[in-house]
């Protein structure tokens, strides 16, 4: 009988996860340092194999991790002098470098047709000139006349003054 279609099929053993790892090349000390975060893994559960050009790491137990990585830029190390230690939950592997790989340069990644520091386009400078001219014209123009400050109106006096003035205007026309 087939299992119900709504229940997903789970494999007997889940595939191991890849742990977070950083690889640093110290060119001055000629040392390769690899740091691998292994939470909830004891040192007895770690199997680490290093070779001249790569590191392979697996864990057993409840947390299963697998890491297989080449050293960067063709770097080669002396795997006979590998030292590994646990610092908290981080495995630190250090190896002396026997051959340094080439440093990828910035210029090699840029396209050959593009100049790295090209001057701004002609259209951009025209816009800047127009903006500058407008600012100079605004400075040269006289500032607008200041408007008088508004004063609060008196309660009854303006209405009383407006009525006699309105009566005087029609009398003057006659």
């Amino acid at each position: 009988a087939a299992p119900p279609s709504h229940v997903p099929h789970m494999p007997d053993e889940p595939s191991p996860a890849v742990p977070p790892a950083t690889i640093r090349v110290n060119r001055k000390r000629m040392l390769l340092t690899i740091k691998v975060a292994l939470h909830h893994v004891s040192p007895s559960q770690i199997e680490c194999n290093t070779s001249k050009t790569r590191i392979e790491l697996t864990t057993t137990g409840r947390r299963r991790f697998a890491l297989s990585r080449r050293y960067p830029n063709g770097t080669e190390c002396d795997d006979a002098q590998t030292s590994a230690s646990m610092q908290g939950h981080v495995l630190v592997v250090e190896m002396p470098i026997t051959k340094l790989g080439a440093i990828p340069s910035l210029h090699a990644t840029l396209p050959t047709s593009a100049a790295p520091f090209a001057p701004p386009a002609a259209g951009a400078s025209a816009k800047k000139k127009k903006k500058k001219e407008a600012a100079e014209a605004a400075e040269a123009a006289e500032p607008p006349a200041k408007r008088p400050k508004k004063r609060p109106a008196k309660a009854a006096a303006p209405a009383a003054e407006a009525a006699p003035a309105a009566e005087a205007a029609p009398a003057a026309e006659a």
Side-chain angles (χ1 to χ4, degrees):
S5 61
H6 68 280
V7 178
H9 176 67
M10 295 295 293
D12 294 336
E13 290 189 28
S15 62
V18 178
T22 58
I23 299 177
R24 298 228 170 170
V25 177
N26 188 333
R27 293 177 171 273
K28 187 173 183 179
R29 292 177 52 204
M30 293 292 286
L31 189 70
L32 181 80
T33 305
I34 303 169
K35 294 183 180 182
V36 184
L38 298 170
H39 296 278
H40 306 288
V41 177
S42 69
S44 63
Q45 296 174 328
I46 300 171
E47 183 180 334
C48 182
N49 296 319
T50 58
S51 69
K52 204 172 174 179
T53 58
R54 70 182 309 114
I55 182 170
E56 294 185 11
L57 179 130
T58 56
T59 62
T60 60
R62 196 180 90 201
R63 302 279 179 154
R64 300 206 183 222
F65 293 109
L67 175 73
S68 179
R69 217 181 259 183
R70 295 183 65 84
Y71 304 139
N73 303 325
T75 302
E76 293 182 3
C77 297
D78 183 7
D79 59 325
Q81 296 183 24
T82 301
S83 68
S85 63
M86 285 292 284
Q87 296 177 358
H89 64 273
V90 178
L91 174 68
V92 179
V93 180
E94 293 182 335
M95 293 178 270
I97 297 173
T98 56
K99 178 186 163 197
L100 277 173
I103 300 174
S105 68
L106 175 66
H107 300 292
T109 59
L110 290 176
T112 55
S113 62
F117 301 106
S125 62
K127 287 181 182 178
K128 286 184 179 180
K129 284 181 183 178
K130 284 183 182 179
K131 194 172 187 179
K132 188 175 180 180
E133 289 172 3
E136 290 174 357
E139 287 177 8
E142 293 182 24
K146 291 185 179 180
R147 293 190 305 184
K149 292 183 180 179
K150 291 184 179 179
R151 295 185 183 171
K154 295 181 182 176
E161 291 175 9
E167 291 172 5
E173 294 175 6

